[in-house]
Amino acid sequence: MIYQLKKIRKIIESIKDTEHFKQAFVHTSYLNELKLRKNSDSESGSENNENPVSSYETLEFLGDSILNFHTSLFIYQKFPNYAEGQMSKLKQLMVQESTLAYLSKEIGLGEFLQLGMGERKNRGAEKESILADVFESFVAALYLEKGSKIVHRFLNLTVFAWSEGKENMVWDYKSQLQEYCQARKGRVNYRLKGKKIVGDEHQQLFIVEVEVNDGPRTFWESGEGRSKSKAEQQAAAKAVKKLGIEKEKN
Amino acid sequence: MIYQLKKIRKIIESIKDTEHFKQAFVHTSYLNELKLRKNSDSESGSENNENPVSSYETLEFLGDSILNFHTSLFIYQKFPNYAEGQMSKLKQLMVQESTLAYLSKEIGLGEFLQLGMGERKNRGAEKESILADVFESFVAALYLEKGSKIVHRFLNLTVFAWSEGKENMVWDYKSQLQEYCQARKGRVNYRLKGKKIVGDEHQQLFIVEVEVNDGPRTFWESGEGRSKSKAEQQAAAKAVKKLGIEKEKN
């Protein structure tokens, strides 16, 4: 999956000795242990005036927003014809816990984790939630040390690369139809034809007609649904079928 | 509230003639009307090959992530001692719908809105949801036209300025105690002393002790709570009281 591990490791190495990097991998369980040890040190009279280390949560807070921003921009620029709903769906897929945890593991972020004894015994370094957390806190550390461009490069090698070919998972018929016709200088128009009430529960159904022009020819299909957008999807699905351009869904 | 309206309006004016700006204020209701009109035009035989305008949703998608990123960074840098929970709370306050709608209104973004007839009759230009939407879509347009620095300046004059003095709303005793002691080269240490089971429901209570050093003196307070963090809050509250530094909450 990750073809460019060497490049990624180089980016990681470039900030490995910084305070932000260290903080990015400190789990609270480790910090709590450290404090306990300090307390017993000070009780036994030894001095320890080092500032307490912070755990990764605040970096994770910042990293989450950095990751979201870069991912949104990536989607907005790569798929300018997507509807907002598709953009959101794709983003959700790209920044969800399982994705980040998977990437974190692939690129070896887990090995830097500082866990307390209990968390270590609990196999904390393999927990999806913790692995996803440190992906975000690492992104924040990278941003604070090296700036926006390097973050973009890092995400390009990880999250964005991972998303290749996943676009189908958020695909829908309306967008497919739109893109197909647009590429052929045609057009797609939806028109609300009416509503009807069905069933004992007097459910309202929307009836929509789509006018499809794929360049050389024009044809019409209709769809019904409990919302206008569902009716449009149905009409678009019929048109996509008629054009014989149905994509496989994964 | 907004003291620098002139500067803000200057920023708005600077991108007023761009395509992104225009799109940032197009509501779907307006677009739908436009399409209907086009359809009847093409039925009556007249030609209209202009590309269909897009509504603001995709810009809003992008703008939301830009706003979140800048706001997170602002909080992270301005309140480095905040715990993650406080940072999140403050951010939520700053980017919530009512805040953005209020600011949108103050700086006059509503006047650029393109609404359909129905939405206009519905006073759509005064709806909080729509006003908040266009704050975000405007931020995206500004980013795409002028880049990150201008977005930061714009947010500095609006969202960040608005947040001044609101820090109290997310304040808590632990942070207050921490900041007070840190400023006096003292220290604060929490220690879990034990747990107890109470009541018919065998509820578990955590017992925590805080050791407070405010520079010249050291004292101890204890707290109980259903979680470690609640117990620590209670202990910190007692210490804050003892020090006589209790803040007013708004």
Side-chain angles (χ1 to χ4, degrees):
Chain A
M1 163 64 222
I2 300 286
Y3 304 110
Q4 313 243 39
L5 198 53
K6 236 177 163 173
K7 284 186 189 166
I8 297 169
R9 294 297 298 193
K10 218 172 152 187
I11 294 175
I12 296 173
E13 291 294 326
S14 77
I15 62 162
K16 220 180 134 185
D17 295 324
T18 66
E19 286 306 310
H20 286 129
F21 182 88
K22 281 170 199 159
Q23 192 196 333
F25 294 95
V26 174
H27 190 256
T28 38
S29 61
Y30 180 81
L31 202 64
N32 289 336
E33 249 176 39
L34 212 70
K35 278 186 189 159
L36 275 176
R37 232 179 298 150
K38 258 197 182 167
N39 285 339
S40 58
D41 281 359
S42 65
E43 270 162 22
S44 64
S46 68
E47 279 291 323
N48 188 346
N49 277 325
E50 252 181 62
N51 280 328
V53 195
S54 296
S55 55
Y56 65 57
E57 278 89 354
T58 53
L59 281 176
E60 182 203 344
F61 164 82
L62 179 60
D64 173 76
S65 77
I66 297 171
L67 173 66
N68 267 281
F69 162 53
H70 281 269
T71 306
S72 298
L73 188 60
F74 168 79
I75 294 169
Y76 183 87
Q77 290 174 332
K78 187 164 180 197
F79 306 105
N81 294 322
Y82 270 22
E84 184 276 329
Q86 288 171 283
M87 291 186 180
S88 294
K89 259 191 241 171
L90 182 55
K91 178 166 102 171
Q92 203 263 321
L93 201 67
M94 290 168 76
V95 304
Q96 70 194 359
E97 187 177 288
S98 56
T99 305
L100 301 184
Y102 166 78
L103 291 169
S104 217
K105 219 170 175 172
E106 286 283 304
I107 66 175
L109 288 185
E111 69 192 64
F112 303 110
L113 261 169
Q114 304 266 39
L115 298 170
M117 195 84 82
E119 248 339 308
R120 272 209 303 282
K121 278 184 189 157
N122 260 333
R123 292 173 171 270
E126 291 165 34
K127 274 188 193 164
E128 278 209 340
S129 57
I130 294 180
L131 283 166
D133 284 353
V134 295
F135 192 92
E136 295 183 329
S137 57
F138 171 75
V139 164
L142 193 59
Y143 174 80
L144 293 168
E145 292 294 336
K146 298 275 177 179
S148 225
K149 269 189 190 167
I150 309 288
V151 167
H152 185 84
R153 199 197 302 165
F154 172 73
L155 294 177
N156 220 4
L157 293 165
T158 53
V159 181
F160 304 165
W162 176 88
S163 75
E164 287 277 335
K166 306 274 195 311
E167 302 86 14
N168 277 333
M169 292 171 82
V170 295
W171 202 249
D172 67 75
Y173 293 112
K174 272 181 74 177
S175 320
Q176 197 185 342
L177 186 62
Q178 181 69 29
E179 196 166 84
Y180 181 84
C181 293
Q182 222 160 38
R184 283 155 188 80
K185 312 266 176 234
R187 65 177 185 280
V188 181
N189 276 316
Y190 296 89
R191 213 171 305 177
L192 184 63
K193 299 299 278 188
K195 297 175 193 173
K196 65 178 180 189
I197 309 291
V198 293
D200 291 342
E201 285 159 26
H202 301 285
Q203 198 175 45
Q204 190 174 245
L205 277 188
F206 292 81
I207 306 162
V208 160
E209 186 187 72
V210 61
E211 181 190 6
V212 181
N213 178 287
D214 67 345
R217 63 181 173 157
T218 303
F219 66 92
W220 291 263
E221 294 289 347
S222 71
E224 289 180 12
R226 285 164 64 175
S227 67
K228 230 179 89 213
S229 119
K230 278 182 184 154
E232 290 174 354
Q233 280 292 344
Q234 197 189 76
K238 285 186 193 170
V240 162
K241 239 178 178 169
K242 186 165 201 162
L243 290 166
I245 54 167
E246 220 169 340
K247 284 196 189 183
E248 275 178 34
K249 293 221 168 187
N250 20 355
Chain B
M1 163 65 220
I2 299 285
Y3 304 109
Q4 313 243 38
L5 199 52
K6 236 177 163 174
K7 285 186 189 167
I8 297 168
R9 295 297 298 193
K10 218 172 153 187
I11 293 175
I12 296 172
E13 291 293 326
S14 77
I15 62 162
K16 220 179 134 185
D17 296 325
T18 66
E19 286 305 310
H20 286 129
F21 182 88
K22 280 169 198 159
Q23 192 197 331
F25 294 96
V26 174
H27 190 255
T28 37
S29 60
Y30 179 81
L31 202 64
N32 290 336
E33 248 176 40
L34 212 69
K35 278 186 191 160
L36 276 176
R37 232 178 300 151
K38 260 197 182 169
N39 285 338
S40 58
D41 281 0
S42 63
E43 271 162 21
S44 65
S46 68
E47 280 291 325
N48 189 346
N49 277 325
E50 250 182 65
N51 280 328
V53 195
S54 296
S55 56
Y56 65 56
E57 277 90 353
T58 53
L59 282 176
E60 182 204 344
F61 164 82
L62 179 60
D64 173 75
S65 76
I66 297 171
L67 173 66
N68 267 281
F69 163 53
H70 282 269
T71 306
S72 296
L73 188 60
F74 168 80
I75 294 170
Y76 183 86
Q77 290 174 332
K78 187 165 179 195
F79 306 105
N81 294 322
Y82 269 22
E84 184 277 329
Q86 288 171 285
M87 292 187 179
S88 293
K89 259 191 241 171
L90 182 55
K91 179 166 100 170
Q92 202 265 321
L93 201 69
M94 290 167 78
V95 303
Q96 70 194 358
E97 186 176 288
S98 56
T99 305
L100 301 184
Y102 165 78
L103 291 168
S104 217
K105 219 170 176 172
E106 286 282 305
I107 65 175
L109 289 184
E111 70 192 64
F112 303 111
L113 261 169
Q114 303 266 39
L115 298 170
M117 195 83 81
E119 245 345 303
R120 271 208 303 283
K121 278 184 188 157
N122 260 334
R123 294 173 171 269
E126 291 165 35
K127 275 189 194 164
E128 277 209 340
S129 57
I130 295 180
L131 284 166
D133 285 352
V134 294
F135 192 91
E136 295 183 328
S137 57
F138 171 75
V139 164
L142 192 59
Y143 173 80
L144 293 169
E145 292 294 336
K146 298 276 177 178
S148 224
K149 270 190 190 167
I150 308 289
V151 167
H152 185 84
R153 199 196 301 164
F154 172 73
L155 294 177
N156 220 3
L157 293 165
T158 53
V159 181
F160 304 165
W162 175 88
S163 76
E164 287 277 334
K166 304 275 194 312
E167 301 86 13
N168 277 334
M169 293 171 82
V170 293
W171 202 247
D172 68 75
Y173 293 112
K174 271 182 74 177
S175 321
Q176 196 185 342
L177 186 61
Q178 181 68 30
E179 196 166 84
Y180 181 83
C181 293
Q182 222 159 39
R184 283 156 188 79
K185 312 265 175 235
R187 66 178 185 278
V188 181
N189 276 315
Y190 296 89
R191 212 171 306 176
L192 183 64
K193 299 300 278 186
K195 298 175 192 175
K196 66 179 181 188
I197 309 292
V198 293
D200 291 340
E201 287 158 26
H202 301 284
Q203 198 175 44
Q204 189 174 244
L205 276 189
F206 292 81
I207 306 162
V208 160
E209 186 187 71
V210 60
E211 181 190 5
V212 182
N213 176 287
D214 68 343
R217 62 179 173 159
T218 303
F219 65 93
W220 291 264
E221 293 290 347
S222 70
E224 290 180 11
R226 286 165 62 176
S227 67
K228 231 180 88 213
S229 118
K230 279 182 184 154
E232 290 174 355
Q233 281 292 344
Q234 198 190 76
K238 285 186 191 169
V240 161
K241 242 182 177 164
K242 188 164 200 165
L243 290 165
I245 54 168
E246 217 167 348
K247 284 196 187 183
E248 275 178 33
K249 293 219 168 189
N250 21 355

